[in-house]
Amino acid sequence: MQSTEIDKIIQVITDQVIKKLEAVTEDKILCRGENKTYPAQYLQKLSADYHLEFGTKQDSDAILLCLREATLTQLLAISNLNVVDSLTKQVISFLLAGKPIWIFDDAPKLSKYRHTTRFEVWRLLQRALERLNKFDIQFINSDEQLKEALVKLEKLTRPTQVKKKFITESVLRERLLNNENLVNSGELLTSLASDWFKQHQINMENR
């Protein structure tokens, strides 16, 4: 078997290993409650790039918390960072960790309170919703809203990834003969290539 064929096999194997490692370290999204309560089309889009977990556990390493709904009383408590039940406790723990919250529902319609309550009370409700927005709590109830939220989440959680390429000893030897850079940005050396590279450095220093 020629060295070029061996190099190709090594590259294929390392690509498969990296792909498996990326799958293990896939970002998780915690959805409070059961999956059947969420819109199926939204879950399908989320699961394409993220690992979805369902439940009510408080301690989670998920990057995002999703809720199917939240009452106005709960939202008001969250806007003041007050824990009144398990849901508000979970939401506030995510907020304190700097993580976003998505609520798959429409934002509360405050217009119905405009003529039934005092102006100052209505204004306080408005300010509470404004604080939720500043807390990065988003209400999602359309494909467009989900699309915008996904773009924002991608920017927050996914730094620019540079695809790593493994370089073999034969490639290093060829680059040396052609007077090229031995190792470039985004490249990793195989074990044999690393040993050869270190030995080559020693030989250069002893000249």
Side-chain angles (χ1 to χ4, degrees):
M1 186 178 291
Q2 297 182 354
S3 61
T4 55
E5 294 177 336
I6 295 176
D7 290 349
K8 290 180 180 179
I9 293 174
I10 292 174
Q11 187 64 55
V12 169
I13 293 174
T14 51
D15 286 344
Q16 291 176 346
V17 171
I18 290 176
K19 187 176 182 179
K20 289 182 179 180
L21 287 174
E22 288 176 345
V24 172
T25 58
E26 188 177 26
D27 289 328
K28 291 185 289 186
I29 293 177
L30 177 60
C31 300
R32 184 179 175 87
E34 300 179 2
N35 61 349
K36 62 182 180 181
T37 63
Y38 289 85
Q41 69 272 23
Y42 294 169
L43 295 183
Q44 184 177 6
K45 290 181 180 179
L46 288 175
S47 61
D49 295 309
Y50 302 95
H51 174 69
L52 302 184
E53 291 184 343
F54 296 87
T56 58
K57 62 180 180 180
Q58 296 293 334
D59 297 324
S60 173
D61 57 353
I63 61 170
L64 166 71
L65 173 63
C66 293
L67 308 177
R68 186 62 185 92
E69 60 183 0
T71 66
L72 181 59
T73 300
Q74 289 171 325
L75 293 174
L76 291 174
I78 293 168
S79 71
N80 291 306
L81 299 180
N82 289 332
V83 175
V84 296
D85 55 22
S86 62
L87 183 146
T88 55
K89 180 180 179 181
Q90 188 177 38
V91 169
I92 290 172
S93 69
F94 266 74
L95 292 178
L96 293 177
K99 300 176 181 179
I101 311 293
W102 291 1
I103 303 175
F104 287 96
D105 198 2
D106 286 322
K109 299 292 190 296
L110 298 184
S111 56
K112 64 180 180 179
Y113 300 105
R114 181 66 183 89
H115 301 293
T116 60
T117 187
R118 293 181 182 275
F119 175 78
E120 283 303 320
V121 175
W122 180 76
R123 189 71 185 99
L124 286 174
L125 293 176
Q126 269 194 325
R127 290 170 181 166
L129 287 186
E130 290 170 359
R131 281 199 298 273
L132 293 179
N133 184 54
K134 291 179 180 179
F135 288 170
D136 203 8
I137 296 178
Q138 302 177 68
F139 292 90
I140 299 173
N141 205 24
S142 70
D143 291 340
E144 187 61 30
Q145 289 174 331
L146 178 61
K147 182 179 179 181
E148 292 176 0
L150 282 171
V151 171
K152 188 175 181 180
L153 182 66
E154 183 78 15
K155 292 180 180 178
L156 287 174
T157 61
R158 296 282 180 87
T160 303
Q161 297 181 351
V162 178
K163 184 175 177 59
K164 300 293 184 180
K165 180 180 180 180
F166 278 79
I167 302 301
T168 60
E169 178 183 343
S170 61
V171 172
L172 291 181
R173 290 181 181 276
E174 183 178 352
R175 288 180 177 178
L176 181 63
L177 290 174
N178 295 330
N179 199 28
E180 300 174 355
N181 290 333
L182 293 182
V183 183
N184 300 312
S185 176
E187 295 180 339
L188 297 175
L189 300 180
T190 62
S191 180
L192 291 176
S194 179
D195 292 340
W196 181 88
F197 183 75
K198 292 175 183 177
Q199 186 61 43
H200 174 71
Q201 285 183 311
I202 294 174
N203 293 337
M204 292 291 289
E205 292 173 357
N206 291 335
R207 287 185 181 181

